[in-house]
């Protein structure tokens, strides 16, 4: 049996809190699994500062969402929720995960965000992805640098480098999001308190659907998720890349 703490992955997605990855790139994580890629999710915190729910409840929801997405690995680190800071200690924690799982690509939140934890998480993951490749940075593990860091959207928009067609995975993305009954609108959300939040309102998931539909229209499909990369993308064969399959998606 593969040790989940050292299982090699094709893609590893990081979020500041449980549910960040599901909202931002859950459809892409599911689609990668459908394509045969191994995937994992790491939350930097346990979400203990959330208005609704408890760390124990959120841990159960995190596990349920991981099951809905079909990831091979899911883990919450011990950074304090609401106090995620860009420092060497936190970068080392992320470096250990990158070196343990050796992903080809890493997903991170976009660095412009409403929640300061999201901004800090973006910088920690980006810097850790580079530092993980330095052989002289000793964590007792073999050095490994992911090929690319892909930034996913949360609250604020960006001009995407590309959009992934998640039409075939969208319903399962919503299932993963709805695993967080304490956080989002659900039949039993009253069990978690009467305090209403921005994301617990009934229209919040509708906004996610609308956003995914918006980005789908950009590439001529039903639902899409946008991503940003900081570097230029290299393409060996533009004719093949922009071939008939791509052109058929343009309305």
């Amino acid at each position: 049996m593969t040790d989940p703490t050292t299982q090699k992955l094709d893609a590893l997605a990081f979020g500041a809190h449980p549910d960040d990855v599901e909202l931002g790139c859950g459809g892409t994580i599911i689609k990668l699994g459908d394509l045969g890629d191994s995937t994992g999710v790491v939350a930097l915190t346990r979400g203990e500062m959330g208005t609704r729910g408890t760390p124990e409840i959120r841990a159960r929801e995190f596990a349920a969402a991981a099951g809905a997405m079909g990831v091979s690995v899911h883990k919450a680190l011990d950074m304090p929720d609401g106090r995620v800071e860009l420092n060497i200690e936190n970068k080392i924690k992320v470096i250990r995960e990158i070196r343990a799982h050796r992903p080809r690509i890493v997903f991170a939140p976009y660095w412009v965000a409403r929640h300061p934890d999201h901004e800090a998480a973006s910088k920690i993951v980006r810097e850790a992805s580079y530092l993980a490749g330095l052989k002289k940075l000793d964590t007792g593990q073999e050095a490994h640098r992911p090929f690319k860091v892909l930034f996913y959207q949360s609250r604020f928009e960006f001009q995407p480098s590309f959009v992934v067609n998640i039409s075939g995975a969208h319903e399962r993305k919503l299932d993963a999001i709805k695993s967080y009954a304490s956080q989002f609108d659900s039949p039993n959300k009253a069990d978690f308190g009467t305090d209403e939040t921005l994301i617990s309102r009934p229209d919040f998931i509708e906004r996610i659907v609308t956003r995914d539909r918006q980005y789908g229209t950009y590439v001529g499909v039903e639902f899409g998720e946008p991503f940003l990369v900081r570097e230029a993308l290299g393409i060996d064969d533009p004719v093949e890349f922009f071939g008939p399959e791509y052109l058929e998606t343009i309305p």
Side-chain angles (χ1 to χ4, degrees), residues 93-108:
K93 291 175 182 178
V94 173
I95 288 168
R96 289 186 180 279
E97 297 304 316
I98 290 171
R99 288 180 171 180
H101 300 296
R102 307 183 68 78
R104 178 169 172 78
I105 60 171
V106 158
F107 293 92

Side-chain angles (χ1 to χ4, degrees), residues 25-62:
C25 62
T28 299
I29 295 297
I30 293 167
K31 181 172 184 175
L32 289 176
D34 290 346
L35 294 172
D37 294 316
S38 55
T39 58
V41 175
V42 173
L44 303 190
T45 76
R46 296 176 300 143
E48 67 271 16
M49 291 292 288
T51 300
R52 303 172 65 86
T54 65
E56 294 75 22
I57 290 171
R58 299 199 71 176
R60 292 195 294 270
E61 294 172 340
F62 186 30

Side-chain angles (χ1 to χ4, degrees), residues 127-150:
E127 294 187 20
S129 294
Y130 179 84
L131 295 174
L134 299 180
K135 294 181 179 179
K136 291 184 178 179
L137 198 163
D138 185 15
T139 62
Q141 301 162 294
E142 185 179 350
H144 173 77
R145 182 173 296 145
F147 179 69
K148 283 289 182 186
V149 179
L150 310 181

Side-chain angles (χ1 to χ4, degrees), residues 37-183:
D37 294 316
S38 55
T39 58
V41 175
V42 173
L44 303 190
T45 76
R46 296 176 300 143
E48 67 271 16
M49 291 292 288
T51 300
R52 303 172 65 86
T54 65
E56 294 75 22
I57 290 171
R58 299 199 71 176
R60 292 195 294 270
E61 294 172 340
F62 186 30
M69 290 191 293
V71 300
S72 302
V73 171
H74 76 282
K75 182 177 182 180
L77 303 183
D78 61 356
M79 297 182 202
D81 188 9
R83 302 186 300 282
V84 175
E85 297 178 354
L86 180 64
N87 57 42
I88 189 59
E89 291 79 13
N90 286 340
K91 284 187 276 189
I92 290 293
K93 291 175 182 178
V94 173
I95 288 168
R96 289 186 180 279
E97 297 304 316
I98 290 171
R99 288 180 171 180
H101 300 296
R102 307 183 68 78
R104 178 169 172 78
I105 60 171
V106 158
F107 293 92
Y110 178 44
W111 56 88
V112 178
R114 177 172 178 258
H115 196 312
D117 280 357
H118 294 180
E119 291 192 352
S122 182
K123 295 172 184 176
I124 290 168
V125 174
R126 179 174 68 86
E127 294 187 20
S129 294
Y130 179 84
L131 295 174
L134 299 180
K135 294 181 179 179
K136 291 184 178 179
L137 198 163
D138 185 15
T139 62
Q141 301 162 294
E142 185 179 350
H144 173 77
R145 182 173 296 145
F147 179 69
K148 283 289 182 186
V149 179
L150 310 181
F151 296 93
Y152 59 83
Q153 191 180 108
S154 52
R155 185 182 180 92
F156 295 111
E157 290 188 302
F158 50 64
Q159 180 63 44
S161 303
F162 60 91
V163 174
V164 174
N165 176 7
I166 62 163
S167 301
H170 197 257
E171 283 301 319
R172 285 173 287 164
K173 171 182 177 172
L174 295 182
D175 288 342
I177 292 170
K178 291 173 183 178
S179 297
Y180 294 93
S182 69
Q183 304 301 304

